[in-house]
Amino acid sequence: MAWLSLLLFLPWFLLLGTLYWLFPRQPRDAARRLFDGAALLLAFVLSILAMLWGHHIGVVQSDAGPIWRQVLAVLYAYGAFLAVMTVAILLRGSWLAQRATKAASKSPGQRA
């Protein structure tokens, strides 16, 4: 039943993941695609684990209603996805800035 939570948020995860993948448009090389793909995969896997954890917490709380399981599952999954995406955006930004600085500091004769 917890998988219903993931199905409900899957379109939103796809939209956010697509925006993360597409912007910024440059530089787009193999290292960047690998980093972005790993970040998206990690976000998806951790959101599934968080969803299951949230559902479990909802199950063990005996005083909560049956909808509470789904609410917690969605909240935990969404929070995990956004947390990974936020960290990935920050890391990618600094990483791209470092790469641009290194590329600009090289003279044309030193490039291989």
Side-chain angles (χ1 to χ4, degrees):
M1 205 48 158
W3 294 101
L4 178 62
S5 304
L6 182 64
L7 283 176
L8 293 173
F9 262 72
L10 196 56
W12 183 240
F13 287 171
L14 288 173
L15 176 67
L16 290 177
T18 300
L19 290 173
Y20 172 79
W21 183 269
L22 293 177
F23 296 104
R25 294 189 185 274
Q26 295 299 327
R28 175 96 42 191
D29 56 359
R32 159 97 187 269
R33 285 191 298 273
L34 181 65
F35 180 87
D36 288 350
L40 288 168
L41 181 64
L42 180 65
F44 186 67
V45 168
L46 287 183
S47 70
I48 289 173
L49 293 174
M51 173 196 62
L52 295 172
W53 184 31
H55 188 266
H56 174 71
I57 290 174
V59 168
V60 297
Q61 290 193 357
S62 61
D63 60 339
I67 193 69
W68 188 242
R69 297 173 200 156
Q70 298 301 321
V71 171
L72 274 180
V74 167
L75 289 175
Y76 279 46
Y78 190 52
F81 188 85
L82 288 182
V84 173
M85 288 289 88
T86 301
V87 170
I89 287 171
L90 295 173
L91 289 175
R92 183 178 69 178
S94 64
W95 176 56
L96 290 175
Q98 284 177 347
R99 290 180 60 192
T101 303
K102 287 180 184 177
S105 67
K106 288 184 179 179
S107 67
Q110 291 179 332
R111 291 187 185 187

